[in-house]
Structure formats: structure tokens, C-alpha cells
Amino acid sequence: MISLTSPVETWAHRWPAGLKLGLMSLATVALFATEDPAILGASAFGVALLYASAGARFARAGARQLWPLWPFLVLIALWHGLSGQVAAGVALTLRLLAAVALANFVTMTTRLSAMIEVAAVLLAPFRRLGLSTRALEISIALVIRFTPAIARKGGLLSEAWRARSRRRPGWQIVMPLAALAIDDADHVADALKARGGVLPIPDTDQKG
Amino acid sequence: MAPVDRPDDLLRLEDLRVAHDGCDVLGPLTLDITARRTGIVGRNGSGKTTLARVVAGLQAPTAGRVTISGIDPAKDRRGALDRVGILFQNPDHQIIFPTVEEEITFGLRQQGRSKAEAAAAVTAILTRFDKLHWRAAATHSLSQGQKQLVCLMAVLVMGPRWIVLDEPFSGLDIATRLQLMRHMARIEARILMISHDPESFAGYDRVIWLEGGALREDGPAAPVLARFTAQMRHWGDADDLSHLAG
Ligand SMILES: Nc1ncnc2c1ncn2[C@@H]1O[C@H](COP(=O)(O)OP(=O)(O)OP(=O)(O)O)[C@@H](O)[C@H]1O
Ligand SMILES: [Mg+2]
């Protein structure tokens, strides 16, 4: 669901990554500080406006990214509906939707290298203690980069299953998917190694 | 472009052996390579990719020694960065980053270049290949041939003295292959290329033919390729005998 690339260049691409991440963190804390469905509803609407401000193509791509959330939202609605806490259920759903959509907006409009630089800046105190933080910075990049890739592999596996079966795949594809993920990890390890592996890079311009 | 000849541009394999799970897949191999263009041929499973990985330092040999332009590529990873670059058989296994620019920048930053230097080098390599408009393109949206070219640019930009190419043309259409070959012909670095297609070795100095992990032939490109092709035809014909007439 996290996408790193937007189909178009938007105004938000030109904002500094650190600023976007900072504002997103503040907004997320605020979302979790309130229980008022009206405020949460307004926030969700505000996030929708944010997507709309970036153009129709961007908004459509964003909506596609968020679509896989619906089973969770249905589950939450059902649970709260059954236990009679309708207001709490609505609040939780809106909060989740607004927070995830906002995070997705930031990832769609921020280059991975810019994200890594923010991480590098935040980790600077550890570097001053003499620890190499490069491994952590690269790990963050890889998680962001490969989460959608593995999700796509899962989709392909279930298609391969359905092509030869009348029933929907269930737990049976978990093992092959894990094997694929490990295989992918092997390839990435090679690709990293081919270009020097996790080398500490000079600190000179990381703060830029 | 005129080759820059350094006296230590030598790839030396000394009694090299590689085993996977206790099973010998390559060697013993002893070779000195100095040629600008060296081809590696052999049947599927003959150990070509294994040799490429060992030369690039991705894998340490089980026994023996590899020296490339003065260093051991598996031990000295930092030194290996400007000595040898490798193009994987499958570009999807090579691309780490979501955009072309970030993919090409990564290796430069690994070499310790500053952000400004890296950006200038990215512009230079994209310009050289007339692909400046690819800068912000998403790597996953590229075609196979385009991905292959991005990988090649990402390797070239680091300026290695040797480039190892593992079947760079598999899965490419004829026109794309010819374009990529033209780009490769202009590379100043020494090239070690694995391929199944004898025609892709046009202009090559030397060809090494591996069979079952051992050296079967080694010499000037044209005669080795001629015997290799004849032998492959022969093996192919042998299989044809089992086909039913009709
Ligand atoms: N990671 C591994 N584990 C076990 N065996 C391996 C591994 N990698 C390669 N081998 C074996 O080593 C031998 C040589 O493989 P290699 O990939 O080097 O061949 P190749 O000449 O590149 O073949 P192809 O033309 O099919 O690419 C094969 O028998 C293969 O099964
Ligand atoms: Mg191979």
C-alpha cells in the first residue's frame, strides 16, 4: 500500500522531506489525541482535499493505493457495530483512514533518498558516538522499497494458484511467498554487495 | 575511446575452485586476463555465472585466489568499487531504488562522492546516453531493455576498470540488443562478457569456453567461437535424433 512513486509531479514534491515528515508526525499525534468523530471526519476530509489538490491523476493513484485497507475498515466497523460502540467505531475508522492516507501522501511525494537523508540527520547523535548508522538508513529504504514488491508477488502467486484451481488460495501460499521474499532478500543483498555493501559514507553533506 | 592502459590491469585466477554444498561447480582454473574484451561461453550450468560472481567479489572462492587490478575483490569491497562492476543476468535483481536517479546515485555515494558530485555525475552519464528525460522515471515501470540500460549506466558511472556482463542481451529484442551492443562498444573499461550468442562477441579479443566448470578452450575469439558453435550444433543435432519424423 505504501507507494514511492506518484504518476505525476505535484506541488508537494517540492517541499522538503523533513518538513513533510515533521508535519505528518504532528498531524498523526493530533489525530490520536481526539475522540471527536466530527474533528476526525473533518481531518479525513482535509486529507482528501490534499489528494485532490495534487490533481485527478494523483488522487486516483492514491485511492488505488489505499484500497487494500477496506477489509480492515470493514472488520473494525463490524466489531464495533456488534459490540454497540458505533461512535467509537466511526472515530477509529476515520482516524485510521486519515493517518494512513496522510502517510501514503507523504511517501508518494517524497523521494526515497530524501527519506534516507532525514533518517541520517535524526541518527546523527549516534554517529557522533562512533556508531555507523548506514545499515539502519539502508534498511529503512529497503523496507519502504520492498513492501509493495512483496505484496505484488503475493498477488502473482494467488493468480498462479487460481489459474490452476477452482478454489481461492489461503494459507497454502504463505510458505511459497516466504520463500520468494527470502529469495528477493538474497538478490538485494547481492545488489548491495556489488556496489560496496553497507559502507559508512562521509558525513560531510548528509545534513543538507 | 582510447583505452587507458595501466600496468596492473590484470585479472588473475590462481587454482580457483568453487564448490556449492560440497559439490565442485568451478575449477581448478588458472588464468591471466588482460584483453580489453573477453567472452565467456559454455552450456547451461557450466559455471559461467559462478565465475562472474567470484570475479566481481560477490562470492569468495572455496580455494585458490582471484586478483583483479591488484586487489582481492571479495575481501576488499571498498577497493573493488572502482575496479569491477557487474551487470546481473536479471536487471530486476540489480535495481534497488524506485527511481532512475536514485539507482544511479547510490553507487556514487558508496564511493564517497558528495551529493553535488554525485548529481553532476548522474547528469553526465544520462547525457552521454541521451537519456536525461529518464532521471525521475520509476524503475519498476521500465521495460526489460530500459532496465538493463539503467543498470549499465549505474555501473559505468562508478568508473570501474573492469565490467562483468552476465548475459546482458537475454530477453531483449534485436533492435534493443544492437543498441545496447553499440553502447557497450564505446566503454573504455575492460569487459568480461557471458553470452550464448556468438554474434554478440563481434570485436572481442579472446573467448574462454567452460565445460562442466573446467576450461575446455581458451584463445582468440574467432576460432574458439567457431569450434564452440560447431560443438553446440552437434549436441543440438544429437537431441534432434529423438524427434519423430512427420
Ligand atoms: N547457490 C547455489 N547453490 C547450489 N548450487 C549452485 C548454486 N549456484 C549455482 N549452483 C550450481 O553451480 C553450477 C553452475 O551454475 P552457474 O549458474 O554458474 O551456471 P551458468 O553457466 O551460469 O549457467 P546458465 O547458462 O544456465 O546461466 C550449476 O550446476 C548450478 O546448479
Ligand atoms: Mg548463468
Side-chain angles (χ1 to χ4, degrees):
Chain A
M1 143 176 61
I2 295 174
S3 155
L4 288 153
T5 39
S6 140
V8 285
E9 170 108 7
T10 68
W11 57 267
H13 281 88
R14 291 186 288 275
W15 282 33
L19 180 65
K20 277 184 283 187
L21 287 168
L23 288 176
M24 181 191 82
S25 309
L26 284 180
T28 309
V29 170
L31 283 173
F32 279 83
T34 178
E35 290 292 332
D36 187 342
I39 298 179
L40 290 168
S43 311
F45 185 67
V47 176
L49 283 183
L50 209 56
Y51 276 84
S53 75
R57 253 186 93 192
F58 180 90
R60 264 199 307 278
R64 245 195 325 274
Q65 306 288 336
L66 293 172
W67 181 243
L69 269 185
W70 74 263
F72 298 98
L73 300 182
V74 167
L75 204 68
I76 292 169
L78 273 180
W79 172 256
H80 287 86
L82 290 179
S83 57
Q85 306 158 286
V86 177
V90 170
L92 189 59
T93 306
L94 288 172
R95 178 189 296 138
L96 196 69
L97 196 59
V100 175
L102 195 59
N104 187 56
F105 181 83
V106 173
T107 37
M108 278 179 82
T109 59
T110 310
R111 289 181 326 142
L112 186 53
S113 48
M115 296 260 202
I116 299 176
E117 275 160 30
V118 173
V121 170
L122 294 177
L123 293 168
F126 294 97
R127 261 197 312 285
R128 240 163 264 134
L129 291 177
L131 299 173
S132 168
T133 56
R134 183 74 173 148
L136 194 56
E137 291 155 26
I138 291 184
S139 313
I140 295 169
L142 292 181
V143 170
I144 297 177
R145 162 76 173 80
F146 284 94
T147 304
I150 290 172
R152 199 166 47 238
K153 290 251 162 84
L156 288 176
L157 265 183
S158 68
E159 267 177 19
W161 171 283
R162 274 203 299 257
R164 279 168 290 168
S165 164
R166 285 182 300 152
R167 275 178 301 151
R168 291 175 63 81
W171 56 269
Q172 296 94 330
I173 66 163
V174 170
M175 273 311 284
L177 185 60
L180 275 181
I182 292 169
D183 208 38
D184 264 359
D186 263 352
H187 293 309
V188 179
D190 264 355
L192 276 173
K193 201 169 175 196
R195 280 178 285 170
V198 180
L199 295 170
I201 57 173
D203 209 10
T204 47
D205 58 0
Q206 278 199 334
K207 285 153 207 87
Chain B
M1 242 165 270
V4 187
D5 274 306
R6 293 190 190 78
D8 66 339
D9 271 342
L10 163 73
L11 167 60
R12 171 163 285 176
L13 312 178
E14 291 166 89
D15 205 20
L16 180 81
R17 263 170 242 258
V18 180
H20 279 302
D21 313 318
C23 196
D24 277 333
V25 296
L26 187 66
L29 217 51
T30 298
L31 282 173
D32 271 2
I33 299 176
T34 51
R36 292 228 317 128
R37 296 289 186 263
T38 306
I40 297 172
V41 297
R43 298 199 71 173
N44 292 130
S46 57
K48 304 180 299 295
T49 295
T50 306
L51 178 61
R53 290 172 52 82
V54 170
V55 167
L58 295 179
Q59 181 178 348
T62 312
R65 212 156 52 159
V66 185
T67 315
I68 188 159
S69 294
I71 61 143
D72 178 333
K75 293 211 180 90
D76 181 2
R77 289 309 298 157
R78 204 182 270 279
L81 284 184
D82 56 12
R83 298 229 178 25
V84 55
I86 181 168
L87 206 66
F88 293 0
Q89 198 161 343
N90 183 347
D92 284 318
H93 294 166
Q94 181 147 9
I95 293 175
I96 308 175
F97 289 88
T99 69
V100 171
E101 176 172 29
E102 290 168 291
E103 179 65 20
I104 301 179
T105 304
F106 177 69
L108 294 163
R109 296 286 282 153
Q110 289 283 96
Q111 286 181 314
R113 316 262 195 106
S114 75
K115 240 196 289 181
E117 282 172 342
V122 172
T123 305
I125 192 92
L126 287 171
T127 309
R128 176 170 151 201
F129 284 86
D130 206 15
K131 296 288 175 289
L132 215 45
H133 56 294
W134 282 16
R135 193 170 198 130
T139 44
H140 71 84
S141 67
L142 300 176
S143 77
Q144 200 73 0
Q146 291 167 335
K147 282 182 188 165
Q148 199 71 274
L149 190 55
V150 167
C151 291
L152 184 65
M153 289 192 283
V155 167
L156 280 181
V157 80
M158 296 173 74
R161 300 196 218 163
W162 295 81
I163 293 179
V164 180
L165 307 167
D166 192 354
E167 296 187 37
F169 307 121
S170 54
L172 303 189
D173 68 42
I174 297 172
T176 309
R177 188 185 55 170
L178 290 175
Q179 287 172 22
L180 206 56
M181 277 175 73
R182 213 173 51 235
H183 285 308
M184 286 171 179
R186 294 189 305 159
I187 295 173
E188 314 92 283
R190 286 177 159 62
I191 291 182
L192 207 63
M193 180 170 81
I194 298 170
S195 174
H196 289 295
D197 174 15
E199 280 174 34
S200 59
F201 293 114
Y204 270 58
D205 306 305
R206 177 175 176 184
V207 167
I208 290 163
W209 174 3
L210 293 179
E211 186 60 48
L215 195 67
R216 159 109 185 217
E217 275 202 38
D218 173 16
V224 175
L225 283 175
R227 282 190 294 273
F228 171 70
T229 310
Q231 179 66 71
M232 289 303 260
R233 289 252 157 75
H234 181 70
W235 280 327
D237 284 345
D239 278 345
D240 284 350
L241 289 178
S242 62
H243 289 181
L244 294 176

